[in-house]
Amino acid sequence: MPGEIYFDNNATTRVLPEVAEAMLPFYTEQYGNPSSIHGFGSQVGRRIAEARAQVAALIGAADSVEVIFTGSGTEGDNAAVRGMLEARPDKRHIVTTQVEHSAVLGLCQHLEKKGYRVTWLGVDESGALDLEELRAALSEDTALASIMWANNETGVIFPIEEIAAIARSKGIPLHVDAVQAAGKLPLKVNELPLDLLTISGHKFHAPKGIGALYVRRGITFPPFMIGGHQERNRRAGTENVAGIIGMGKAAEIAFDRMAEDASRIGKLRDLLETLLLESCPGSRVNGRGQNRLPNTANISFRYLEGESILVLLDQHGVCASTGSACTAGSSEPSHVLRAMKVPADWLQGAVRFSLSRFNTEEEIRYVNQLMPSVVQRLQGLSALGKLGNQQRSQPEPGVAAGTAGVRG
Ligand code: PLP
């Protein structure tokens, strides 16, 4: 197939042409500073207000003043956690999960070293949280809970409505990392008892370097960048105007097309999983059986290394990933799959295919044609593969063909 086949949309997405078009004048013509007194600058402020309303609509915020533009999802996550710790200085405990993105995970590990106590909630083999464990972890000393909406590696969706109700019943503020959920699921923050929520533009066809943090009205939340008066004194710094306009436009389009996209992309993802499980014996879907994002398939190829699979796929123009782009380059197996207790022989061979509205059935069928030869080639090369071929004649408990998500 000509050109690249891009199945790495959880890493980042293509900027929509309509989004790029909406942004361009803010570099070349309407380049004024929104804080200026003159009309040339201040008219830009009005466009930012429109974009803020578009983002508020995407997440279902009651009021656009609850939306603070940031420079990334990572910034939103950091600002939310650090902000709540600063607002509740007498509390020294954080509750989060073992499967968070490194933006929350790494920060909480850092805070642990600084003397905060962190409860790391585990997940079961399908990636689900134990809500009773969450309830038991929240205490008088808890400053906040930070729990993701949808997992970036497996697409597993946590039941945020129930999680938020538990946190609220204990009077604990909840931050939700919705970076992978925004644009893919209806979020409706105002109907949920959550307090803070992070999203990032480049995951839903806006450019990189622009994100937003939702802070519910009435929550005490200190400024996280100190300087000028931008973002109502909460995040100082001259605005990334074109990025904000682009994120607003992308939010509007995602909102309008969400149901249609989810249904079409979900069918393609299901087709990909069905075909690959059939054509590649010794493959399984991680997180199968759970409520998952419609665009994400995390497939393990037993005894193989995900990175080697990616290199061969790349030679044929197929872009996928082993997990989070932010942890690529580390030889450690995925912390998400480890938390799900994925057995050692399936752990290294995970490949994440994450789709967008630009993918086609033709691309899915092309990858499915390619994959068996990639797997066979690597099985031939890998010592683990050889071992696997020997062992395959003796089925292992729990991984026989027909077990949920597992074939071969
Ligand atoms: N949180 C999740 C769940 C993510 O998937 C990502 C990016 O992959 C981030 C946070 C960080 O977002 P950004 O790349 O905008 O910093």
Side-chain angles (χ1 to χ4, degrees), residues 10-11 71-75 77 100-103 148 150-152 177-180 198-203 209-210 324-326 352:
N10 286 8
S72 63
T74 302
E75 181 184 324
D77 284 339
E100 296 299 306
H101 183 269
S102 50
M148 69 199 320
N151 190 273
N152 45 302
D177 175 343
V179 167
Q180 291 295 345
T198 292
I199 66 171
S200 178
H202 72 111
K203 308 294 185 179
I210 182 72
S324 167
C326 300
R352 177 184 73 185

Side-chain angles (χ1 to χ4, degrees), residues 166-189:
I166 293 171
R168 181 59 61 88
S169 73
K170 298 256 190 159
I172 310 289
L174 174 68
H175 165 245
V176 176
D177 175 343
V179 167
Q180 291 295 345
K184 298 172 190 152
L185 304 175
L187 301 186
K188 302 196 174 129
V189 287

Side-chain angles (χ1 to χ4, degrees), residues 247-270:
M247 186 168 175
K249 186 72 190 169
E252 182 187 71
I253 294 172
F255 186 76
D256 289 347
R257 296 193 198 158
M258 196 176 300
E260 194 189 314
D261 276 355
S263 147
R264 193 185 145 267
I265 295 169
K267 282 188 193 128
L268 288 181
R269 189 278 310 271
D270 291 348

